Amino acid sequence: MFKVLIVDDLEILRYDLKRMKVWSETKDFVIAGEAENGLDALKKLRTSSYDLLITDIKMPVINGMELLKTVSQE
């Protein structure tokens, strides 16, 4: 089973991503967490492990590109 972290500043988009049929069609992926900005995501990534990170690019505090750069460096 693959653990997924969804990162987006808009709650409605996180909700829509969680409702996608792809998650119900396969049992290999589970939405294990969500964050509303890059800083929140980094805190979660430092305390738990995830297999897939789905992130928005334009977000407050830390944007998606900065998040991916930090994750790659760590």
Side-chain angles (χ1 to χ4, degrees), residues 7 38 41-42 45 53 55 62-71:
V7 185
L42 280 175
L45 288 164
L53 172 63
T55 185
I62 295 178
N63 69 39
M65 295 305 290
E66 292 170 346
L67 170 62
L68 294 176
K69 183 178 179 181
T70 303
V71 168

Side-chain angles (χ1 to χ4, degrees), residues 32-43:
E34 58 183 275
E36 62 184 34
N37 60 57
L39 183 59
D40 188 28
L42 280 175
K43 290 177 185 177

Side-chain angles (χ1 to χ4, degrees), residues 10-50:
L10 298 175
E11 184 177 358
I12 188 70
L13 292 180
R14 293 192 313 267
Y15 176 78
D16 285 345
L17 278 170
K18 292 187 295 185
R19 290 188 54 224
M20 291 179 69
K21 288 184 180 182
V22 67
W23 310 123
S24 61
E25 291 172 353
T26 177
K27 303 298 182 209
D28 293 337
F29 292 90
V30 62
I31 306 297
E34 58 183 275
E36 62 184 34
N37 60 57
L39 183 59
D40 188 28
L42 280 175
K43 290 177 185 177
K44 291 179 185 236
L45 288 164
R46 288 175 177 148
T47 60
S48 298
S49 64
Y50 297 90

